[in-house]
Amino acid sequence: MAEPQPASVQEGIDPEGPPAPTGGDARKAAAALSTLDQRGDDATAPTKNIDQDALSNAISRLELTSGKVTPGGEQQKEREAEARKEKERRAKIKVDAQDVGLLVEELDLTKIKATELLKAHEGDAMKALRAFVTANV
Amino acid sequence: MPSLAGAKERSLFGQVVKCYENKQYKKGLKAADQILRKHPDHGDTQAMKALIINSQGNTEEAFALAKIALKNDMKSHICWHVYGLLYRSVKNFEESIKAYRFALKLEPASSQIQRDLALLQMQMRDYPGYIQSRRAILQARSGVRQNWTALAIAQHLGGQLVDAERTLSAWEDTIKTPPPKSDVEHSEAVLYKNTIIAEMGETERALDHLDAVSKGSLDRTAAMEMRGQYLLKLGRKEEAANTYRTLLDRNSEYRAYYDGLVTALGLQRTDLEALKKIYAEYSEKNPRCDAARRVPLDFLEGDDFREAADTYLRHMLKKGAPSTFANVKSLYTDVAKRDTIQSLVESYAASANPTQVNGSAEKQPDKPDGEKPADGTDAHVEEKQVNGNVSQFDSSVRYFLVQHYNYHLSRDLEKAMNLIEDAIKSNPGSVDLYMTKARIWKHHGNAKKASETMEKARSVDERDRYINTKAAKYQLRNDENDAAIKTMSKFTRNEAVGGALGDLHDMQCVWYIIEDGESYLRQGKLGPALKRFHSISDIFEVWQEDQFDFHSFSLRKGQIRAYVDMIRWEDHLREHPFFSRAAINAAKTYVSLHDKPQLAQASLTNGINGEMDKLDKAERKKAQRKARKDQEKKEQEEAEKKDAKKTAGNVGADGEIKKEDKDPQGQKLLQTTEPLADAMKFVTPLLEYSPRNLEAQLASFEVFIRRKKFLLALRCLLTSHSLSPSNPTIHEQLLRLRHTLNSHPTSSPLPAPVSSLLETELSKLLDRDTDLTQHNDTFLATHKLSTPHVHAALRARYALASSSQLDAVKEEGQKELIKTLELGEDGCKLEDAVRGLELLRWWDVGEEGLGEYRARARESWPEATVFE
């Protein structure tokens, strides 16, 4: 079973709170833990080993998302573009406030979720209800 | 804004802020009051004061003051920021985000507000918002790598994988000289980029990239594992096999590597010779390796299996590995393998102990090896190890057999009990043996003896935390809640607020809390039961809250892949079985409270099975009044006792202020007027995270049908049906839903789409014009040999009956239930019989009916304590 405990140690009794960390690593870990919720990421100095021109270049590229083409990711790009298109299409679908109310009441949904669900089914309340009810089947 | 005029005030204000950040609250308050004396309407100062007050634990006061501050200075970003922080501290994240946004609008340059907003957006998984915030932060400080990585994470999790990769590459392009090899952040970021490429489905490119970067990567194992997976996916089998061989050389215990190698070699489960060769190769290379010896038992059959199992078992038992049984029991689902193992181990026992002698095993030294010298090297070494007066091999064999006959797939409790008695006689100082004996009693249904035996095991080694825990659990199973907490208290910090139980909550000891709750539920003490289930739910909330700090911490440490793993884990947190177990129990409890509000009262007195039924109305009222008075008196006494104790103060070890629990018995929870609405707190996450859990669907149905949310009830029913079409409870629930709809008042018809959807879906399961009663009777007749089916049919019959028929239905039901007790082990298991008892209680059949059922049940389960 368990290793015998040294006589000075008694399980469950901890007179002075958690013991002070001893080893170097433990102390570091404790220090890291105590600063866990402190705001530190601003304090980090910028890395020096960088090409400033390239950096400003990169930043400006960041602005126009569809800017320079990186190699690869073609299929993923298509998928993401499609998702975006679908989102835009859905945004245009009009839904009846009464239908939203019905979904909220019958399916315990929030208004936002109910609207989303309706839009995903072309604003057809019946289709939306059926899809929700049979979702796990 | 009415800014502060004097330089003195300005410096004082700076002091307030500093004091707050350094947690010098008293000093900060003093400084703030000094300003407010001169400028009583200074919004910023009031806001800071509110923040300090909140940190001291006076949330309400803080909110009131923050509102005044806002009124005084609507255009101050400080006031709005503070308002957001206050909302954040009470976990109202949506309001908090709104307030931060407002503050940011007033002060777009504030990096502090920007960061607070970003972290909260991440916590709330508002990815579009988070991407936007991260972009702003990056633009403000583009020289810091973290900010680039953070944006990439935002884009990755937000589904914009291409952008994420581009962001990471953009930073890499700006590095002039290659970073040093010891740069963990770089190594992690590069591997992270690789996982993004792989997630796009571009395995080929991911592999090329990996090969280009893996040399500098510090996490060698991860890089190699990824390489193996990519190669397998691409069908480059030879290289994949090499990779997995390298991995196996590093760690030959990890099964996934064997699987990878086997797949890479294109082997099927039936290519026995080739498979055997692989595993033999690794077991030769690593004489102490377990996996290479154990895995073949999974795919070998017949004589091959017998031979391999023999070698394996002898090897393990000779070593005296206590985990041997646990290691092979997963094979028992295959009946042939189970029987083979049984006959092998029995033969070891027979050759060691030809006649069951009383502990004189010295006379039969290790014979088994003489018969089958099959296993090679270890035999000589191990043979000499004799432990006390019984060889290690003999006692291991016996221990194995005890566990074998105690296991549900090979159970013979009497045999197990005889063996364990012998074993204990020859080795009375073994914790393991007593523990296993307790487990045998548990399987007999004797919770009392199980608890006592486990306590005995505990007393053998009082410093063993594991056995201490076991003893407490068995006490809870025997409904000894006080004894259990006393057992636990030997290893808890008992000066914590709330004593040992309080510490168990602080330490998030989920298993104890849930077992305690279930025990109270069995005793009909619904208040404390609900209390525990709520505690579980709260603990899961804390776990969700805990990730907050890591949104910034992990970035600072550069541990991105682990962070993303954690985020994904958090997204599925409430799938955890402990959560569903608590949630299902809570939902059931609330349903009982809805059906029988008097249970709340009964629970205050002494459990559901009180004497109430025997009394007439006036007497019952009187008794209830008396019970309430007693209860009040008791509460008052307890409160006084607590006040007396309250000298030490309630500050926890970490300086946090802990509030005393004012309602330890959960009476507030019991006195709810809307039990079904309360149940939704559990049902909603339950259905969202564990939709494939049958129990969860069945329990949720009960809530929805009572709330008249028929479509949601239908949804549960359809889901249950797709999970397990033949489950008897589905039959019952289907009939009840039909019945409820048929008797729905025509004066308030359901909305047209709802009723039409219900009709079409339900008629797929049960024809519209079915005579429900008759259908149920047929069901009962068809399945009269299976107790769960009988129960379902009886419950359905009760639900379908008109109020004048109820007594007859109960009487008939009682007879049917007693009949199930005679169905034998196949038709009626112990759990089924217990459920029958619960059903009778639910029907309030009275002590006489319960007594008869118990007496009959005792005949079949003489040891089971539930029927005493």
Side-chain angles (χ1 to χ4, degrees), chain A residues 51 63 73 79-80 105 132, chain B residues 139 161 174 200 709 715:
Chain A
D51 185 339
E63 312 267 325
R79 274 194 292 263
E80 283 172 20
E105 174 61 25
F132 188 83
Chain B
Q139 257 144 9
L161 275 61
T174 66
M200 287 188 220
K709 300 276 180 191
R715 189 183 199 225

Side-chain angles (χ1 to χ4, degrees), chain B residues 19-295:
Chain B
C19 286
Y20 168 71
E21 279 169 3
N22 294 333
K23 296 187 177 173
Q24 297 168 316
Y25 299 136
K26 273 192 192 148
K27 215 169 145 199
L29 275 185
K30 223 169 167 186
D33 284 336
Q34 221 173 324
I35 304 173
L36 289 175
R37 232 172 283 142
K38 258 197 175 169
H39 308 274
D41 290 335
H42 188 243
D44 288 357
T45 309
Q46 285 172 327
M48 281 311 298
K49 188 178 168 185
L51 205 51
I52 295 178
I53 294 174
N54 187 52
S55 302
Q56 289 177 321
N58 296 323
T59 308
E60 271 169 46
E61 206 181 310
F63 264 96
L65 186 58
K67 266 180 203 152
I68 296 172
L70 263 182
K71 220 179 266 165
N72 285 333
D73 199 348
M74 282 291 279
K75 292 242 161 73
S76 151
H77 68 269
I78 297 184
C79 292
W80 280 104
H81 191 184
V82 166
Y83 209 49
L85 288 171
L86 289 182
Y87 269 123
R88 147 102 181 81
S89 75
V90 294
K91 294 174 194 165
N92 188 340
F93 299 132
E94 267 149 45
E95 286 304 316
S96 181
I97 286 187
K98 272 188 213 158
Y100 287 155
R101 279 230 164 103
F102 222 91
L104 200 60
K105 221 183 265 169
L106 296 166
E107 181 69 22
S110 162
S111 64
Q112 218 174 66
I113 303 175
Q114 181 74 70
R115 199 190 27 242
D116 281 345
L117 174 64
L119 297 181
L120 206 52
Q121 284 167 327
M122 183 58 222
Q123 181 80 359
M124 296 295 285
R125 305 292 192 267
D126 169 11
Y127 293 126
Y130 188 51
I131 295 176
Q132 207 181 356
S133 297
R134 275 299 170 190
R135 208 178 274 263
I137 293 174
L138 173 60
Q139 257 144 9
R141 288 176 64 89
S142 61
V144 184
R145 179 172 204 157
Q146 290 176 24
N147 290 340
W148 290 87
T149 317
L151 175 61
I153 293 174
Q155 290 165 330
H156 175 207
L157 295 174
Q160 303 176 5
L161 275 61
V162 179
D163 288 351
E165 188 197 344
R166 186 166 42 213
T167 305
L168 289 169
S169 303
W171 170 261
E172 285 171 16
D173 292 344
T174 66
I175 306 174
K176 273 190 285 193
T177 48
K181 271 209 160 174
S182 57
D183 189 341
V184 181
E185 190 181 7
H186 179 72
S187 154
E188 282 292 305
V190 168
L191 277 187
Y192 176 56
K193 187 167 113 176
N194 188 264
T195 60
I196 293 178
I197 300 175
E199 269 178 44
M200 287 188 220
E202 299 187 23
T203 316
E204 185 89 53
R205 194 158 67 87
L207 182 62
D208 290 344
H209 176 252
L210 186 66
D211 283 342
V213 301
S214 64
K215 257 211 144 155
S217 143
L218 292 167
D219 192 345
R220 284 285 166 79
T221 317
M224 276 162 78
E225 284 175 355
M226 281 150 83
R227 187 156 197 275
Q229 282 159 13
Y230 297 160
L231 287 168
L232 271 188
K233 234 185 194 167
L234 292 169
R236 287 158 66 173
K237 300 207 158 161
E238 204 169 311
E239 291 162 88
N242 284 336
T243 305
Y244 280 111
R245 282 193 185 279
T246 321
L247 280 165
L248 276 173
D249 288 339
R250 296 167 65 102
N251 178 2
S252 62
E253 290 289 358
Y254 193 27
R255 286 187 170 213
Y257 296 163
Y258 289 103
D259 294 343
L261 178 59
V262 168
T263 320
L265 295 174
L267 294 175
Q268 302 298 317
R269 244 181 111 88
T270 42
D271 299 333
L272 293 180
E273 286 313 312
L275 284 174
K276 267 207 271 191
K277 230 175 96 190
I278 295 176
Y279 288 104
E281 179 192 330
Y282 281 98
S283 66
E284 258 162 55
K285 247 193 230 171
N286 309 284
R288 307 180 80 144
C289 172
D290 180 69
R293 293 181 167 80
R294 169 63 186 80
V295 177

Side-chain angles (χ1 to χ4, degrees), chain B residues 14 126 292 323 343 364 377 420 448 473 487 509 520 529 612 654 660 705 746 822 838 851:
Chain B
D126 169 11
S323 58
S343 73
Q364 293 97 24
T377 48
I420 195 85
K448 188 161 168 279
K473 180 170 165 179
T487 307
C509 184
Y520 281 124
M612 293 288 178
D654 42 2
E660 181 101 26
I705 194 172
T746 41
E822 284 148 18
E838 281 162 12

